[in-house]
Amino acid sequence: MTVAIPRVPTRPTTALRAGRRQWLALAVLFLPTLLVAVDNTVLSFALPAITTALSPGATTLLWMVDAYPLVLAGLLVTMGSIGDRVGSRRLLVVGVTGFGLVSLLATFATDAVHLVAARALLGFFGAMLMPSALALVRTLFVDRDQRRLALAIWATGFAAGAALGPLVGGALLAHFWWGSVFLVNVPVTALVVVLALFLLPESVRVRRGRLDLGGVVLSMAAVVPIVLAVKLVASGGAAAAIAAALVVGVLAGVAFVRRARRLTSAGREPVLDLALLASPVLRIAMLANLTTMLALTGLLFFAAQYLQLVLGLGPMRSGVLLLPGFAATVVAGLVAAWLARRVPIRVLVPTGLATAAVGYALCVLLGASSGGTLLLVAGVLVGAGIGLTETLTNDVVLTAAPVDRAGSASAMSETAYELGAVLGTALLGGVLTAVYRGAVDAPVGPARETLGGAVDTADPAVIESARAAFALGVDVTAGLGAALLTAVALAAWIVLRRHTRPARPS
């Protein structure tokens, strides 16, 4: 299958072009994206404070980060299908409202288990946000040039939120307790609900029909065990548990596909329209989305701890050092919309992935006593590569889907993002933890579990050994990340070269 990617678009009619109201509505859609990104980044920077206050073990610490994207990933396909039925604006409002209320609960969590539970509930309501927002972008912007620019602006919400998170988090943690990083979500969600009701239209061609509840269960049964298996492998879990999780996930995935085909043949609508996966270009776009989010989440996981606990920098200064990387993501995303009119997508997407791979390769050189400047440069390269890639792959996904399947297609794209977020912490974070445990010279206990636990011992010898072990773990993790990004860049170049071509000017 060959997909035509226009290099020089024709001028659209005025009737198709968005006006002031549509761009104001885009600003409303930008806020939930900003909110989710801030929440993820703030949590990364709050981990040292949370570790001190709640004393979670290494596994609980990973679940604290993973609970949100794991639940979110398992429900995205379902929420995308629901949004196509009940309306994307309606689902967005419900999701934002729930997100705000649960953030209030997370603010006053009294132990690590409560915080993990709150993060899981945030994932439930967060699953309603991204598919709805992307589907509404498709509704608001019919002209492809405008939609590509709108997607670039919307996608910068991830980078802008990631950049704002460390600064807001640093300021809050300097003056308040760790729960304040969740409390900041509440006024933002209230504002989004009010603006959404006034400015956002309902999505077009809303689908009707009964939701396939069996497909909902099977979709979660396929996604969650497979991600859990990856987590167990990364953390040195029992082989029997890993095998069992993989078997359950694969069998549920096969059953899900068979059920979807059977319902389609019977004239009923499954949770996921498998015809959306027929395009090799769409599949490689989803793989690129997964890999870029894996790279971003993995970088944030070790960078925040490296700057604060290895180099001894404060939260605010650590956030400032990572700020240029997030800014590079915003700039690259906006430039991507302009470049796509002049350079083929088969060149731009692999270039973005390769740029991020170079950034990860630089992180291999980080040491236990220096590396702040090097991490800044690496962050800029990773951010620029992610910004360039994500804008174009989002456009490919939305363009490939029919209007009345925009929610489902967006959910597939967002599922790839969230799986990447889980794998970034589970795979890269798990590898880092395994290397740390094997290299640190410390007695059994908190110091052997996490770097934060070692720092809390106040034993100079243990702290020095822990910092060296963590730096070694960063080197190994960065090497693995660079290899993964390079492999996907090569795959994207091959697939897009075979299946895309410039469209003939009309």
Side-chain angles (χ1 to χ4, degrees):
M1 179 178 179
T2 301
V3 178
I5 304 295
R7 294 184 61 182
V8 183
T10 57
R11 184 175 298 277
T13 63
T14 304
L16 295 178
R17 295 184 65 81
R20 180 181 301 176
R21 185 176 180 85
Q22 284 77 17
W23 291 106
L24 288 174
L26 177 65
V28 177
L29 296 177
F30 182 88
L31 289 176
T33 307
L34 187 73
L35 180 71
V36 172
V38 167
D39 190 65
N40 276 331
T41 312
V42 163
L43 181 67
S44 297
F45 270 76
L47 283 179
I50 292 173
T51 300
T52 300
L54 303 181
S55 301
T59 302
T60 303
L61 188 66
L62 287 176
W63 274 110
M64 197 177 293
V65 178
D66 287 343
Y68 170 78
L70 183 61
V71 174
L72 197 153
L75 287 172
L76 276 169
V77 170
T78 298
M79 294 303 179
S81 182
I82 292 175
D84 285 338
R85 286 172 167 81
V86 305
S88 296
R89 185 185 72 164
R90 184 175 301 160
L91 191 64
L92 180 72
V93 170
V94 172
V96 171
T97 302
F99 200 93
L101 293 175
V102 176
S103 294
L104 193 60
L105 294 177
T107 299
F108 301 103
T110 56
D111 57 46
V113 175
H114 290 165
L115 188 54
V116 170
R119 290 278 294 167
L121 280 174
L122 286 173
F124 175 80
F125 289 106
M128 303 178 186
L129 304 182
M130 296 301 100
S132 301
L134 270 176
L136 287 167
V137 170
R138 174 67 180 266
T139 300
L140 289 165
F141 299 93
V142 179
D143 170 53
R144 187 172 184 183
D145 280 344
Q146 286 192 317
R147 185 172 67 241
R148 186 178 283 152
L149 177 59
L151 284 170
I153 295 171
W154 177 82
T156 60
F158 287 107
L164 186 61
L167 300 179
V168 172
L172 291 173
L173 292 171
H175 298 93
F176 305 102
W177 87 115
W178 62 264
S180 61
V181 301
F182 293 102
L183 188 61
V184 73
N185 294 338
V186 177
V188 179
T189 55
L191 177 63
V192 171
V193 170
V194 173
L195 293 178
L197 293 175
F198 282 97
L199 289 175
L200 292 182
E202 191 50 271
S203 52
V204 298
R205 297 188 188 179
V206 178
R207 294 162 62 192
R208 302 296 180 188
R210 186 176 59 186
L211 181 65
D212 175 23
L213 295 179
V216 170
V217 173
L218 287 174
S219 67
M220 294 193 67
V223 173
V224 174
I226 290 176
V227 174
L228 177 61
V230 174
K231 287 176 60 66
L232 291 173
V233 170
S235 59
I242 295 170
L246 283 175
V247 168
V248 171
V250 171
L251 289 178
V254 171
F256 177 82
V257 171
R258 289 182 175 177
R259 180 181 180 87
R261 289 175 175 170
R262 185 173 67 252
L263 291 178
T264 301
S265 299
R268 295 174 54 192
E269 291 190 2
V271 171
L272 177 64
D273 184 357
L274 297 180
L276 293 172
L277 293 172
S279 168
V281 177
L282 191 146
R283 292 198 299 268
I284 199 65
M286 292 176 59
L287 178 61
N289 286 348
L290 184 151
T291 309
T292 53
M293 186 53 65
L294 180 151
L296 177 61
T297 307
L299 181 67
L300 288 175
F301 182 82
F302 69 72
Q305 297 183 76
Y306 175 83
L307 291 171
Q308 294 181 66
L309 300 178
V310 175
L311 300 187
L313 304 179
M316 182 64 74
R317 189 176 175 189
S318 300
V320 170
L321 278 175
L322 292 179
L323 187 60
F326 300 127
T329 305
V330 174
V331 173
L334 295 175
V335 170
W338 176 81
L339 285 175
R341 301 174 62 183
R342 295 161 176 81
V343 182
I345 193 173
R346 62 178 178 271
V347 174
L348 292 177
V349 171
T351 298
L353 291 165
T355 302
V358 173
Y360 254 82
L362 288 180
C363 291
V364 175
L365 305 176
L366 294 174
S369 58
S370 62
T373 302
L374 185 62
L375 186 57
L376 184 153
V377 174
V380 168
L381 290 172
V382 173
I386 289 173
L388 178 61
T389 302
E390 287 183 352
T391 298
L392 301 174
T393 52
N394 277 329
D395 182 53
V396 167
V397 170
L398 282 186
T399 302
V403 176
D404 63 335
R405 296 296 191 275
S408 297
S410 301
M412 291 165 54
S413 178
E414 291 301 321
T415 299
Y417 275 125
E418 297 309 324
L419 284 174
V422 172
L423 292 173
T425 308
L427 180 59
L428 299 184
V431 168
L432 191 155
T433 299
V435 174
Y436 172 84
R437 288 173 175 171
V440 67
D441 184 12
V444 175
R448 199 166 187 83
E449 290 289 317
T450 65
L451 178 57
V455 172
D456 288 341
T457 64
D459 185 330
V462 172
I463 293 174
E464 182 179 358
S465 173
R467 286 174 172 168
F470 192 87
L472 175 62
V474 169
D475 292 344
V476 175
T477 301
L480 175 60
L484 288 173
L485 285 162
T486 301
V488 176
L490 180 60
W493 181 77
I494 293 173
V495 171
L496 295 177
R497 184 168 175 263
R498 289 177 179 175
H499 296 282
T500 64
R501 58 180 173 80
R504 294 179 181 178
S506 55

